Amino acid sequence: MISNQLKILENIILARYTTLNLGGAAKYFCTCSTVDELKEALQFARSKKIRSHILGGGSNTIFADDGFNGLIIKIDLKGVSFVEDGNDIHVTAKAGEEWDHFVKQNVEQGFAGVECLSGIPGSVGASPIQNVGAYGQEVKETIEQVKVLDRTTLQEKVLQNGDCGFSYRQSIFKTDDANKFIIVEAIFRLKKNGRPTIHYPEVKKNIEASIPLSTLGDGRESLEAVRNIVLGLRKKKSMAIDPSDVNTRSAGSFFLNPIVDEKQLAKIIHQWEANGDGTPIPTFASESKIKIPAAWLIEKSGFKKGYSKNGVGISENHTLALVNRSGTTKALLALAKDIQDGVGKQFGIRLAMEPVIVS
Ligand SMILES: Cc1cc2nc3c(=O)[nH]c(=O)nc-3n(C[C@H](O)[C@H](O)[C@H](O)COP(=O)(O)OP(=O)(O)OC[C@H]3O[C@@H](n4cnc5c(N)ncnc54)[C@H](O)[C@@H]3O)c2cc1C
């Protein structure tokens, strides 16, 4: 222990703080449950002239095998509060709240807006970082404000939704202002006694199998029905953490779905028509552009579910999830590169990685 106030530990193995279960030791490690502790941690790193890295639930983080030669700051700020506002409810959640617990709490009270995001691992504080999304919802639709601590000035600041630059798995926290802020809380605007979002075909199909959509009511019961369907789909795809299922030892989707314009798509189609098996490339509208499912591109480049190499591989239940069976970060990143190179050769595009790599 180095500091008297904040407990700063030394030489802490990071693997157990990530869902991939990978990573060597951090030189220093602390857990902060207040903003004052965060400031103290940042000052400690400054005084030692070392880097600091913010860690939530570790479900989108890849630490190097040789660890991190700085201070890992684990976020543990807790608390959720509710303020009614007509038909809406403002829900303020501290950054260290577990995301799925937060979703469950809201669903149980009949508050709509995050039900399709059930089962996503990690913390509330990380949810704005990549604008988490699944099954037809993204947090950008319900986040009103994000309260941050500036890592340099140590001043707190409130960012409005429009300041956060949200788009598909992106925000200013990953781009222009990467590593500038620590998110200390997020405020969501949800609908009281609200109606669940049922846009996603798999969710719609499953709901319709048990109840005609026209008779689906508002509020808790319907929101719980959607939550349960999403949790079931996630379980089937090993996309909800389950210690007994090695396929969940992942960082979720490892690659982003490429978003291209008409000209890029034409080039990709041209290359596929020359080299491919004749099946059409699936595409989806994404605002003014076109989204291509990365999973399809990976499979058509010869990488199948269950593929395994050097203790790492592709989940048996989801092509987009790379899993750690008994491997290393080095092996995982080598596999990611093999896949990127394979897709590049087959389609002429480079897949971007989703998780944050910390070395
Ligand atoms: C099985 C599985 C399924 C998944 N499914 C989905 C999915 O459907 N949709 C989706 O979008 N994602 C999904 N993910 C990815 C992941 O769960 C989300 O990105 C999640 O929001 C990460 O939260 P975390 O707290 O674990 O973040 P971490 O991995 O701890 O951190 C991720 C990044 O956020 C930063 N960060 C974390 N907390 C803060 C903070 N308070 N302030 C500033 N920076 C911070 C970290 O520095 C890092 O850069 C999945 C992951 C797994 C393992």
Side-chain angles (χ1 to χ4, degrees):
M1 205 164 85
I2 307 280
S3 153
N4 286 330
Q5 291 80 38
L6 180 68
K7 238 182 168 182
I8 295 187
L9 307 169
E10 287 181 86
N11 204 22
I12 297 295
I13 297 294
L14 293 169
R16 74 180 187 91
Y17 292 97
T18 69
T19 51
L20 270 164
N21 198 26
L22 288 173
K27 187 167 172 63
Y28 298 108
F29 185 101
C30 66
T31 302
C32 295
S33 50
T34 64
V35 172
D36 282 345
E37 285 183 350
L38 288 174
K39 289 182 186 172
E40 199 186 328
L42 292 169
Q43 275 161 341
F44 172 85
R46 207 177 284 174
S47 71
K48 291 264 177 202
K49 295 190 172 49
I50 52 170
R51 288 184 301 146
S52 59
H53 176 79
I54 308 304
L55 180 64
S59 63
N60 213 20
T61 297
I62 303 174
F63 287 119
D65 296 314
D66 54 4
F68 183 70
N69 190 21
L71 172 67
I72 296 293
I73 303 175
K74 170 115 175 93
I75 303 295
D76 197 33
L77 288 82
K78 295 283 189 203
V80 181
S81 57
F82 304 87
V83 176
E84 299 203 16
D85 179 5
N87 293 329
D88 292 349
I89 183 109
H90 305 275
V91 189
T92 302
K94 300 279 184 205
E97 284 290 328
E98 193 201 336
W99 174 259
D100 190 51
H101 179 66
F102 167 77
V103 172
K104 184 167 180 272
Q105 254 181 307
N106 285 298
V107 164
E108 280 173 355
Q109 296 183 82
F111 304 153
V114 289
E115 61 283 353
C116 298
L117 306 175
S118 294
I120 297 181
S123 59
V124 166
S127 67
I129 303 280
Q130 69 156 4
N131 174 30
V132 295
Y135 296 103
Q137 266 175 353
E138 291 181 312
V139 287
K140 73 169 187 185
E141 294 155 28
T142 44
I143 284 184
E144 278 192 300
Q145 295 179 338
V146 177
K147 194 172 186 185
V148 296
L149 175 69
D150 187 309
R151 290 170 71 162
T152 310
T153 64
L154 303 187
Q155 297 295 310
E156 285 179 73
K157 185 173 160 178
V158 172
L159 302 177
Q160 303 299 324
N161 178 303
D163 302 327
C164 296
F166 289 129
S167 61
Y168 167 63
R169 296 302 166 274
Q170 280 297 0
S171 72
I172 55 157
F173 308 112
K174 279 192 95 171
T175 51
D176 299 0
D177 290 329
N179 296 324
K180 185 167 187 223
F181 301 119
I182 299 178
I183 293 172
V184 295
E185 66 183 38
I187 304 177
F188 297 78
R189 179 190 280 261
L190 304 181
K191 283 271 169 248
K192 282 195 298 190
N193 196 32
R195 202 168 181 73
T197 298
I198 308 176
H199 297 326
Y200 201 81
E202 267 178 305
V203 174
K204 202 168 168 190
K205 195 176 112 200
N206 278 277
I207 282 276
E208 278 170 336
S210 55
I211 175 171
L213 271 186
S214 55
T215 63
L216 188 77
D218 295 342
R220 175 175 177 163
E221 217 175 299
S222 306
L223 294 166
E224 280 183 336
V226 167
R227 174 173 165 79
N228 289 334
I229 283 167
V230 169
L231 290 176
L233 290 169
R234 282 189 168 278
K235 192 172 165 51
K236 252 192 358 216
K237 298 176 188 176
S238 296
M239 280 297 202
I241 296 297
D242 174 354
S244 68
D245 177 2
V246 71
N247 292 297
T248 71
R249 208 183 291 156
S250 79
S253 299
F254 203 92
F255 298 102
L256 296 169
N257 294 317
I259 296 183
V260 297
D261 59 27
E262 294 283 356
K263 207 170 145 200
Q264 288 166 311
L265 180 65
K267 263 178 86 178
I268 294 165
I269 291 175
H270 182 72
Q271 182 156 338
W272 177 238
E273 279 173 353
N275 303 333
D277 63 12
T279 47
I281 299 180
T283 56
F284 301 91
S286 177
E287 288 163 17
S288 59
K289 294 199 164 184
I290 305 135
K291 194 186 274 185
I292 310 176
W296 187 88
L297 295 169
I298 293 169
E299 280 169 18
K300 293 294 180 186
S301 303
F303 296 93
K304 305 284 182 223
K305 287 177 190 157
Y307 178 89
S308 193
K309 189 177 174 186
N310 296 332
V312 298
I314 297 177
S315 162
E316 289 164 323
N317 300 319
H318 201 302
T319 316
L320 265 193
L322 300 194
V323 296
N324 170 29
R325 299 198 170 98
S326 58
T328 58
T329 298
K330 191 172 169 214
L332 186 82
L333 296 180
L335 172 61
K337 185 173 181 304
D338 284 353
I339 293 173
Q340 283 175 319
D341 291 349
V343 170
K345 196 164 160 229
Q346 187 71 288
F347 293 97
I349 45 170
R350 187 147 188 91
L351 293 180
M353 292 194 242
E354 189 188 295
V356 177
I357 300 168
V358 186
S359 54

